[in-house]
Amino acid sequence: ASSVNQTVRDFAYCSREDDRGLFGRPVLLQHIDAAKTAARSASLVTLAGAPQGRWIGLLKVSQRALAPFKAVLAELQGAANFDRLDLPDLLNALIVRQQRIEVVYVHGHWRGVNDLEDLHRAVDFAHAQLPAGERQSTLHEERPEGS
């Protein structure tokens, strides 16, 4: 397996970069590039230059935003390609319909998991072990009874 994660995606383009301030103006999501590469389309380059971060897959929908959220979801369910859409597609559809999506920047302490290989890496990381397939048999030796 390659040491480079090939599933990096969900680049977030926002109204401004994170200034790490505790209080300040809200940051709004402008677009999520759900492509599986860091390559950006020409429209995204003109939109915001480099992405301001990555969406980590967490979403909170307020009571006030629930009705528009459900309406856009219902609209997308009628699309022929609905079975291939994901949450970034839903968020982008909401943005196109002028819905404000506030961003909360996260600093570390998360790991992207987009497929089974990523899951194995996350488990290894969480348990501070060598990557699967490279584990040494001495890491988990069983001791004989009575010792």
Side-chain angles (χ1 to χ4, degrees):
S2 170
S3 63
V4 176
N5 185 344
Q6 299 298 316
T7 62
V8 173
R9 58 181 175 224
D10 299 339
F11 294 96
Y13 295 83
C14 305
S15 59
R16 63 186 177 89
E17 292 185 8
D18 182 14
D19 63 7
R20 293 198 175 235
L22 183 58
F23 302 103
R25 299 180 317 230
V27 178
L28 299 178
L29 184 64
Q30 294 178 327
H31 183 82
I32 294 182
D33 182 2
K36 292 186 178 183
T37 67
R40 292 170 280 132
S41 68
S43 64
L44 290 178
V45 171
T46 58
L47 173 70
Q52 286 72 38
R54 288 181 51 211
W55 181 53
I56 65 169
L58 293 176
L59 176 68
K60 175 189 173 201
V61 180
S62 70
Q63 185 68 36
R64 179 179 47 85
L66 190 56
F69 182 89
K70 287 181 175 181
V72 171
L73 180 58
E75 180 183 328
L76 291 176
Q77 285 174 324
N81 66 340
F82 180 72
D83 60 338
R84 291 184 304 278
L85 298 178
D86 55 18
L87 276 172
D89 293 315
L90 174 59
L91 295 175
N92 288 331
L94 286 161
I95 293 165
V96 166
R97 288 156 185 84
Q98 307 301 312
Q99 294 300 310
R100 292 172 41 105
I101 300 173
E102 288 191 30
V103 171
V104 176
Y105 284 108
V106 176
H107 305 282
H109 307 294
W110 69 275
R111 184 165 180 98
V113 177
N114 293 310
D115 57 27
L116 191 55
E117 184 177 339
D118 287 345
L119 179 60
H120 287 293
R121 286 185 182 134
V123 168
D124 290 339
F125 177 81
H127 295 285
Q129 298 174 356
L130 295 173
E134 295 179 25
R135 292 189 177 120
Q136 298 174 357
S137 61
T138 58
L139 287 176
H140 300 288
E141 275 186 20
E142 290 188 26
R143 296 188 181 263
E145 288 186 32
S147 54

